[in-house]
Amino acid sequence: MIPATEPSAGRALANPAAAAAALPSQFLTFMLGEEQFAVGILHIKEIIEYCSLATVPMMPPCVRGVINLRGAVVPVLDLSARFGRASSPISKRSCIVIVELLDGEQGRQVLGMLVDAVNAVVDIGGADIEPPPAFGTRIRPDFIAGIGKAGGRFVSLLAIDRVLSGEEIVALARAAQH
C-alpha cells in the first residue's frame, strides 16, 4: 500500500514555481477518450480490471456504483461523467484506479475512478509543469493542478482531492434525490 501523503498537490498556490515544486514528480497517466490525464502516484493504491459494479440508487450520474475490494465497499466514480461528459463506455482497456485521499473528517477515504485506459507511470520534473490555464479546458479549472509535459505530449495533472471531493459528491447525490 502506498500512503497518501502527497503534500498540497491540489492546492492552488499564488507562485507558479512553488505550485510546481509542491506537486509530486511521478504520475500515473491514463486516458479519458482521447485526452491524457495524470494523478500523483502517492494517491494510487492499486489498479484493477473493470469488474461488474453494484449500482446504488439515487446517486449522481458520476457515481457508477460500488465494488467489494477485499471486504471493503469502495465507491467507483466515472471520471468522464464527473467532468460533465458522457459516461465512459466499457472496453477491454477500461480500468478502475483505486485512490486513497486524506479526508479531514473521516481520515483516509478510498475511492475508485473508472478510466478508459491506464498508460504508464511517468516522471515529470517541476520545470516541465506549467500552472493550470484559467480558461480553455474541457473540465473545471479547479480540477487541474497543472499541465505537465511528458513524452512530447501535454498531460493534465489532476487535483484529485478536488475531483473526488466527498462533500461535493454528497451534494450531487442530494440534488439527484430532489
Side-chain angles (χ1 to χ4, degrees), residues 53-112:
L53 304 172
T55 58
V56 180
M58 301 174 74
M59 284 287 117
C62 66
V63 179
R64 209 53 188 248
V66 295
I67 59 170
N68 179 346
L69 186 65
R70 291 180 293 285
V73 175
V74 176
V76 176
L77 279 75
D78 184 329
L79 217 50
S80 186
R82 177 72 174 116
F83 294 160
R85 302 172 181 176
S87 292
S88 289
I90 304 304
S91 71
K92 296 185 297 186
R93 297 198 60 206
S94 295
C95 293
I96 299 173
V97 178
I98 305 296
V99 297
E100 189 173 58
L101 303 171
L102 291 176
D103 185 351
E105 297 171 5
Q106 300 174 341
R108 295 181 191 274
Q109 184 176 14
V110 177
L111 297 165

Side-chain angles (χ1 to χ4, degrees), residues 1 11 20 27 54-55 67 78 99 107 117 122 138 140 142 149 155 158 160 162-163 175:
M1 183 165 98
R11 282 186 244 140
F27 297 86
T55 58
I67 59 170
D78 184 329
V99 297
V122 297
R138 292 185 179 184
R140 286 180 17 193
D142 63 320
K149 295 175 218 151
V155 58
L158 295 178
I160 201 65
R162 289 192 188 135
V163 172

Side-chain angles (χ1 to χ4, degrees), residues 26-31 36-41 44 113 120 122 124 143 145-146 155-160:
Q26 289 190 312
F27 297 86
L28 175 72
T29 60
F30 56 88
M31 302 300 290
Q36 185 171 226
F37 294 91
V39 172
I41 63 164
I44 308 299
M113 300 185 308
V122 297
I124 303 175
F143 285 176
V155 58
S156 296
L157 309 176
L158 295 178
I160 201 65

Side-chain angles (χ1 to χ4, degrees), residues 113-139:
M113 300 185 308
L114 176 62
V115 300
D116 294 338
V118 170
N119 292 342
V121 173
V122 297
D123 289 312
I124 303 175
D128 291 328
I129 299 174
E130 298 292 328
F135 62 92
T137 62
R138 292 185 179 184
I139 64 174

